[in-house]
Amino acid sequence: MRALLVGGVLCWAAGAGQASGQALTYNGSVQYATGSYYFTEQTGSFYFNNGLGISGDRLSLHLNVPFIAQNTPWISYTSSGMGPLPTGGPHNRLVDGSDGGQGNRRGRRRIDPGTTDTLNFTETHFGDPSLSGSVRIYSSGFGQTSVNGNFGIKFPLTDADSGFGTGAWDFGAGLSWSQRVAGNTLLILSGMYWQLGDMDDLDFKNILSYSAALGQTFQEGKLMATASFFGSTQIIEDIDPPMNAGAGLSFQVAPNVALNTNLLVGLTESASDFSIGAGWSINF
């Protein structure tokens, strides 16, 4: 999810020096996203993520379990870093435009997947857990340049009809590159190829998700401001892929504790209108 990606970038950037020898990390975040996407009604989604990470000199593993509250079942959770995915939930057949040519595709009219029961829908539920990992491929002698190989797996433990998941496995793998410039500036570029599992009546394309972040540190590296961009190739046929731009702040409050905040704005209709969140990282 974007919240984890933003939080990870910020916490790593602020606390990389202290975190290099860590064995166990607790990461948490809260994120609120809202938007109508290409639907007729607005959806608000609240995510509370909890994760544990284990790291060594070259390899790190991270398990995340999201707890989700939202007021429609039309938005599904994925771990591909693109944030809320507007699938239509139990009415996902309406999103792919294969409903007999009734004009539900983007650019003709907005999709109305709602009924009386879904319009009054407000539920909370655990989302699909995900496992991610990173392997250091290259690091320069003074840590100015770093290249990592990354992977991710989403486990389909939720019911797709509930609106909290897609009911299918997701697998991803990719690379990330970070470069410190002039000591106080950090550039991070990443890309991952995702094989997304389909829903019963909605097929997803396999995608390339990508992100870029530019950070500037202050107060001897304890404070960092970051600008970021997230995008992907097309996920659903005839619908523009989600793209987001945002900014964030992170602060190293103690040698083993980092806090961060972030704000993201959607650039396409398949992305949430805006998203705001906060996170924390504690090294043990």
Side-chain angles (χ1 to χ4, degrees):
M1 181 179 182
R2 290 169 307 179
L4 288 178
L5 185 55
V6 173
V9 167
L10 295 176
C11 289
W12 184 91
Q18 291 83 357
S20 59
Q22 76 188 46
L24 180 66
T25 302
Y26 163 63
N27 293 305
S29 69
V30 291
Q31 195 84 16
Y32 176 75
T34 182
S36 59
Y37 306 88
Y38 34 72
F39 299 126
T40 55
E41 300 291 335
Q42 197 89 358
T43 296
S45 304
F46 176 81
Y47 301 91
F48 177 35
N49 290 282
N50 284 281
L52 285 176
I54 300 175
S55 66
D57 291 336
R58 300 182 61 87
L59 173 67
S60 65
L61 295 173
H62 183 268
L63 177 67
N64 177 68
V65 179
F67 185 73
I68 305 169
Q70 58 186 26
N71 63 347
T72 78
W74 307 334
I75 309 301
S76 301
Y77 170 86
T78 71
S79 60
S80 62
M82 297 315 302
L85 183 61
T87 63
H91 298 167
N92 58 87
R93 64 179 179 80
L94 300 176
V95 174
D96 71 354
S98 62
D99 58 334
Q102 297 178 18
N104 284 318
R105 282 178 149 167
R106 185 186 69 83
R108 300 179 188 176
R109 68 178 177 86
R110 302 188 74 78
I111 300 172
D112 182 6
T115 61
T116 301
D117 58 329
T118 59
L119 290 176
N120 295 323
F121 175 99
T122 299
E123 287 192 10
T124 59
H125 201 282
F126 283 102
D128 291 330
S130 61
L131 178 68
S132 60
S134 177
V135 179
R136 185 184 305 159
I137 298 174
Y138 170 78
S139 179
S140 63
F142 296 98
Q144 298 296 311
T145 303
S146 179
V147 179
N148 289 342
N150 307 305
F151 74 88
I153 303 172
K154 188 200 74 174
F155 304 95
L157 301 184
T158 60
D159 182 0
D161 288 340
S162 69
F164 294 101
T166 62
W169 294 83
D170 295 338
F171 300 93
L175 295 172
S176 62
W177 169 64
S178 63
Q179 179 68 50
R180 288 194 177 272
V181 182
N184 295 325
T185 303
L186 177 69
L187 173 66
I188 299 179
L189 301 175
S190 65
M192 289 191 70
Y193 177 80
W194 284 93
Q195 180 176 315
L196 302 179
D198 298 328
M199 301 182 74
D200 288 342
D201 298 304
L202 179 62
D203 293 338
F204 300 117
K205 294 185 175 184
N206 295 333
I207 64 168
L208 176 65
S209 65
Y210 49 88
S211 66
L214 183 65
Q216 181 69 33
T217 60
F218 305 92
Q219 298 183 6
E220 298 180 347
K222 292 183 178 181
L223 177 66
M224 185 170 197
T226 305
S228 54
F229 173 81
F230 302 86
S232 84
T233 55
Q234 189 179 66
I235 301 175
I236 301 173
E237 188 72 29
D238 290 341
I239 292 178
D240 291 338
M243 294 184 182
N244 303 267
L249 287 172
S250 74
F251 186 65
Q252 195 78 25
V253 297
N256 295 326
V257 180
L259 304 177
N260 69 76
T261 61
N262 66 81
L263 173 66
L264 293 169
V265 177
L267 304 179
T268 60
E269 67 175 355
S270 58
S272 55
D273 292 341
F274 78 91
S275 173
I276 189 169
W280 51 92
S281 178
I282 303 173
N283 300 327
F284 298 97

